[in-house]
Amino acid sequence: MADNSYTAKDIQVLEGLEPVRKRPGMYIGSTDINGLHELVKEIIDNSVDEALAGFAKNVWIVIGKDEKVTVADDGRGIPVEIHPKAKKSTLEVTMTILHAGGKFGEGAYKISGGLHGVGASVVNALSDWMRVEVRRDNKTYAQEYKRGKPQTKVEPTPKTAAPEFLTLPPTGTTTMFIPDKSIFPTIVTDYKVIAKKIKERAYLVAGLFFHLYDERTGLEVHYYFDGGLKSLVHHINKGKQAINDIPFSVTKTSQDIFVEAAFQYSDSYTETIESFANVIATAEGGTHLTGFRMALTRAINDYARKNGYLKEKDDNLTGEDMREGLTAVVAIKMNSENLQFEGQTKSKLGNAEVQPVVMQVVKEGIDTYLEENPQQARKIMEKVILAAKARLAARAAKEAVLRKGALEGMTLPGKLTDCQEKDPAQSELYLVEGDSAGGSAKQGRDRKFQAILPLRGKILNTERARLDKILEFEEIKTLIIALGTGIGDTTNIDKARYHRVVIMTDADVDGEHIMTLLLTFFFRYLPGIIEKGYLYIAMPPLYKVTIGKESNYAYNDEEKDSIVKQKGDGKTVGIQRYKGLGEMNPEQLWETTMNPETRIMKKVEVEDAAEADHVFTMLMGNEVPPRKRFIQTHAKNATLDI
Ligand code: 0RA
């Protein structure tokens, strides 16, 4: 075999699996559906590691009718020989000892068993039944477990328990498990979630095939990306108009760090950058991302000077100018033992040595790309220089806005009815559609901690406008000043004056449109408000059901029907459908929608930034055909308000 450096003794023997069953949350985060999917991901990542080590080429995943999950690969197969210290098969050690994991060979990068991965033994501990089959030396070795405890020896077997329709190659590992119902409230995995996870992996491990089958529904999907990061950039830019239609990409190993980067500009105004370290998403960025940004800024400035796009007297283009419309992905792989993660969610790469390496590889790559593709270079230069001009215009506009605020003695906008509370953590800001509902809200609110900002009519569609244009728009200016965060390059979410911003619109088409416009604005220009969990949607009732002398509010049709069914027998039932907030008097509005004791609110969260990005581009952007397609596909899910 190619890899002789691995021996069974490299496996660290630590402890048994009891702690995992006692406190599963410590190992997989939670025992809800997310924890359940963590199990599947864990096992898949072991196979992905075998692919990263250069051996597995395929990963098969089957979700069975009985919720049995099968993950198979065509790697080398987990070693089965006797582990010298444990005096048991290495396979058994791997599956039954916490933190036991083998090295995947020198210089290889593994994603499981590191900071995020917990290893197959944790999955075993939390499975009612598990079976691992190792195909090696023209034999199939198998071992079965129950709640982490071996039920059989590791021994060659003529039979396989893998789904019959899979034809698996002579070497590899097949892991099958049924999550433990006594630990997980549900063991029903979600096909879509698994599909998404493997799709992400596929983009990052070019050349690896993923095959997913769902025996419950007959669905199947296969992922394979030859182009690696280029495919991911292409995918993110779907529905947008490309500026450089040939995306940039580079891959190079330097000083034992494998660097991969790709970018493409589109006609949008916002930036999407994703970064990864050893296939782990680094949501907070880090040294690899900094290196990339420095390289991009320097390469573009160098080219702009050399080719007369910038004159001697002109200032350099800034990092900010590079961002507009940029879609980029940066990924590094290095020895996982040296990886350092920092930041609030430990998703920021901290390795200082990575920055200069990425910087150099990407700078050289972009220099070459621009020299070899003058057409593409010209388009990029024009886009970036336009952004620089817009930046200067936006700065002037913003300064004017801020100056105006200062001249008015730092006063808050007159339209805002503020609350008495000064502690942001206790304060709420209601964004209310229309002056009349605004009036009711002002009277109905608790003035101690609830502030009201009425918004008149439609706000600007910020998806299609640039910051300087956005700032010319009165409603948005007012909103930004009321929030206190600022906007653009000087946004400071920590200055938010309210930790609950509640959008309250009518339950009709116009109300939903205003809701979408506001969500677009927050998503594109103040994403920090959403990330911090500050943004909410008020849920006013849809009906008032009056039976005899008693009135009840219903927030949806089922609720209305059930109230009528429960209480309405033989009595006169009055049903009032609220068309707008204005139909409620201040007391009713307080009682149903604003009183923290009784109200219902939806918290706005972004589960999948790339997907949300698509949806906003599609619904709010310039291109019509993708919007049409989206509407045609989703029309059946829409409720019509006629
Ligand atoms: C340790 C060493 C070797 C392979 C593996 C682990 C391995 C683990 C998993 C888990 C899922 N699929 C896997 N495939 C391989 C290499 C042993 C050798 O040198 O033959």
Side-chain angles (χ1 to χ4, degrees):
M1 278 262 75
D3 182 25
N4 292 321
S5 62
Y6 177 89
T7 52
K9 71 174 176 348
D10 286 338
I11 288 179
Q12 268 181 290
V13 177
L14 286 173
E15 51 179 324
L17 295 175
E18 301 84 71
V20 182
R21 289 190 59 85
K22 273 207 191 102
R23 306 178 71 182
M26 291 259 300
Y27 299 87
I28 54 163
S30 62
T31 54
D32 59 10
I33 186 92
N34 296 316
L36 182 74
H37 290 139
E38 200 56 40
L39 303 187
V40 184
K41 194 179 117 208
E42 202 57 50
I43 298 299
I44 293 174
D45 278 349
N46 285 326
S47 295
V48 173
D49 282 340
E50 185 63 359
L52 287 172
F55 298 96
K57 295 274 169 281
N58 292 274
V59 181
W60 295 264
I61 300 123
V62 184
I63 310 171
K65 284 212 171 83
D66 48 0
E67 302 302 334
K68 181 176 102 180
V69 178
T70 302
V71 177
D73 67 49
D74 53 358
R76 292 164 293 178
I78 300 178
V80 290
E81 80 267 13
I82 297 295
H83 185 279
K85 253 198 232 158
K87 310 264 191 290
K88 289 178 192 168
S89 163
T90 305
L91 170 63
E92 180 169 333
V93 175
T94 310
M95 301 314 295
T96 56
I97 306 286
L98 202 51
H99 302 306
K103 278 193 185 144
F104 281 74
E106 273 316 292
Y109 332 101
K110 65 197 194 88
I111 49 176
S112 63
L115 187 85
H116 294 256
V118 288
S121 63
V122 166
V123 181
N124 191 15
L126 302 175
S127 292
D128 197 38
W129 171 90
M130 180 140 159
R131 179 183 166 93
V132 183
E133 294 178 355
V134 172
R135 286 163 274 118
R136 274 175 86 109
D137 324 320
N138 288 319
K139 291 195 191 82
T140 297
Y141 300 87
Q143 185 169 40
E144 281 191 20
Y145 317 84
K146 189 175 169 58
R147 300 184 174 180
K149 298 217 163 73
Q151 304 297 302
T152 60
K153 283 197 202 140
V154 175
E155 54 200 356
T157 163
K159 275 191 295 192
T160 167
E164 263 174 42
F165 69 91
L166 288 182
T167 34
L168 297 170
T171 73
T173 306
T174 308
T175 307
M176 293 154 266
F177 64 97
I178 302 176
D180 190 340
K181 278 199 192 77
S182 71
I183 289 187
F184 298 94
T186 174
I187 63 158
V188 181
T189 49
D190 185 333
Y191 173 80
K192 272 213 263 177
V193 173
I194 308 291
K196 206 190 118 210
K197 281 191 201 288
I198 60 174
K199 190 169 176 183
E200 269 172 22
R201 288 282 184 258
Y203 279 128
L204 291 165
V205 191
L208 176 61
F209 272 99
F210 280 95
H211 315 270
L212 172 64
Y213 306 87
D214 190 337
E215 295 191 300
R216 301 167 304 184
T217 56
L219 289 173
E220 67 180 79
V221 65
H222 304 260
Y223 293 112
Y224 170 82
F225 295 104
D226 212 358
L229 294 196
K230 235 193 262 183
S231 324
L232 182 48
V233 163
H234 183 76
H235 169 76
I236 297 171
N237 274 350
K238 221 168 48 184
K240 296 177 190 166
Q241 187 65 44
I243 301 283
N244 53 321
D245 29 285
I246 305 174
F248 160 80
S249 77
V250 69
T251 55
K252 192 178 170 183
T253 303
S254 167
Q255 296 173 43
D256 286 333
I257 301 171
F258 174 69
V259 180
E260 211 178 349
F263 77 78
Q264 181 177 49
Y265 277 96
S266 79
D267 65 343
S268 81
Y269 297 120
T270 48
E271 178 195 67
T272 312
I273 292 202
E274 299 197 14
S275 62
F276 300 84
N278 288 24
V279 204
I280 298 163
T282 39
E284 296 175 275
T287 49
H288 50 348
L289 191 52
T290 315
F292 173 83
R293 286 195 193 283
M294 286 169 64
L296 179 66
T297 308
R298 288 190 194 175
I300 287 189
N301 271 306
D302 284 0
Y303 188 88
R305 294 236 174 252
K306 247 210 222 134
N307 295 276
Y309 290 97
L310 280 181
K311 299 277 172 294
E312 213 168 307
K313 63 174 176 31
D314 292 334
D315 282 336
N316 260 356
L317 300 159
T318 68
E320 189 67 25
D321 301 332
M322 309 294 144
R323 295 185 184 198
E324 196 177 286
L326 176 67
T327 295
V329 186
V330 187
I332 63 115
K333 284 174 196 150
M334 58 186 281
N335 189 336
S336 61
E337 280 162 34
N338 300 338
L339 275 180
Q340 293 160 17
F341 291 101
E342 306 172 344
Q344 284 201 326
T345 56
K346 289 271 175 271
S347 63
K348 183 176 182 181
L349 184 67
N351 297 67
E353 72 276 21
V354 170
Q355 183 178 312
V357 173
V358 174
M359 151 81 194
Q360 201 194 355
V361 168
V362 176
K363 171 75 164 56
E364 279 173 15
I366 301 180
D367 285 346
T368 312
Y369 167 85
L370 294 174
E371 291 302 336
E372 288 176 359
N373 300 282
Q375 298 269 17
Q376 307 286 318
R378 184 176 53 75
K379 289 180 193 165
I380 294 172
M381 292 301 143
E382 283 167 1
K383 168 88 180 167
V384 174
I385 286 165
L386 196 64
K389 286 188 182 146
R391 168 174 56 93
L392 296 173
R395 178 152 301 160
K398 197 176 70 190
E399 274 162 12
V401 173
L402 296 180
R403 238 187 343 268
K404 206 167 145 215
L407 284 177
E408 287 161 11
M410 296 305 264
T411 43
L412 289 162
K415 293 181 67 186
L416 174 76
T417 307
D418 210 0
C419 55
Q420 293 160 345
E421 177 64 61
K422 290 285 170 268
D423 176 6
Q426 309 299 326
S427 307
E428 301 186 343
L429 174 65
Y430 275 79
L431 307 177
V432 187
E433 172 186 0
D435 282 337
S436 84
S440 288
K442 271 180 216 168
Q443 289 176 43
R445 70 177 179 143
D446 184 334
R447 60 175 62 243
K448 276 216 283 299
F449 66 98
Q450 293 180 319
I452 309 293
L453 181 65
L455 299 171
R456 203 176 302 134
K458 298 283 163 72
I459 75 160
L460 183 77
N461 181 354
T462 49
E463 182 73 24
R464 288 181 234 187
R466 242 198 201 111
L467 194 53
D468 53 329
K469 285 278 161 298
I470 288 171
L471 287 173
E472 282 171 15
F473 203 72
E474 208 55 45
E475 303 298 292
I476 292 185
K477 219 155 55 182
T478 312
L479 172 55
I480 295 165
I481 297 174
L483 282 171
T485 54
I487 190 92
D489 51 0
T490 54
T491 306
N492 185 352
I493 296 297
D494 294 336
K495 286 201 174 154
R497 298 179 58 249
Y498 312 90
H499 286 187
R500 287 208 186 92
V501 179
V502 187
I503 304 175
M504 187 158 79
T505 58
D506 289 339
D508 60 10
V509 173
D510 279 345
E512 272 164 25
H513 189 195
I514 292 170
M515 171 85 63
T516 316
L517 292 168
L518 281 168
L519 290 174
T520 305
F521 169 71
F522 280 107
F523 182 73
R524 291 294 183 210
Y525 288 97
L526 289 173
I529 293 280
I530 302 179
E531 284 154 20
K532 287 256 183 187
Y534 293 169
L535 191 61
Y536 294 83
I537 294 172
M539 300 290 291
L542 279 182
Y543 302 99
K544 181 175 168 182
V545 184
T546 309
I547 297 164
K549 286 214 172 72
E550 198 191 322
S551 290
N552 285 285
Y553 298 103
Y555 291 84
N556 53 48
D557 285 304
E558 293 87 71
E559 236 173 44
K560 176 200 64 179
D561 296 341
S562 110
I563 294 172
V564 174
K565 216 171 172 184
Q566 273 179 28
K567 313 197 173 172
D569 298 346
K571 298 188 195 132
T572 12
V573 178
I575 296 180
Q576 182 190 355
R577 187 188 194 317
Y578 289 122
K579 275 268 154 70
L581 300 162
E583 289 175 34
M584 271 183 263
N585 63 37
E587 292 73 39
Q588 286 173 326
L589 195 59
W590 162 256
E591 192 51 41
T592 60
T593 316
M594 299 178 75
N595 179 357
E597 304 284 323
T598 49
R599 72 184 173 195
I600 304 175
M601 299 203 296
K602 281 194 210 165
K603 188 173 184 167
V604 178
E605 283 174 28
V606 175
E607 204 177 285
D608 179 349
E611 188 58 32
D613 187 293
H614 279 157
V615 173
F616 278 111
T617 305
M618 200 152 44
L619 291 179
M620 311 303 282
N622 283 321
E623 298 269 299
V624 177
R627 177 155 51 247
K628 200 165 160 189
R629 268 199 307 278
F630 182 86
I631 293 171
Q632 282 167 350
T633 333
H634 292 271
K636 62 179 188 309
N637 300 331
T639 340
L640 288 186
D641 180 293
I642 307 171

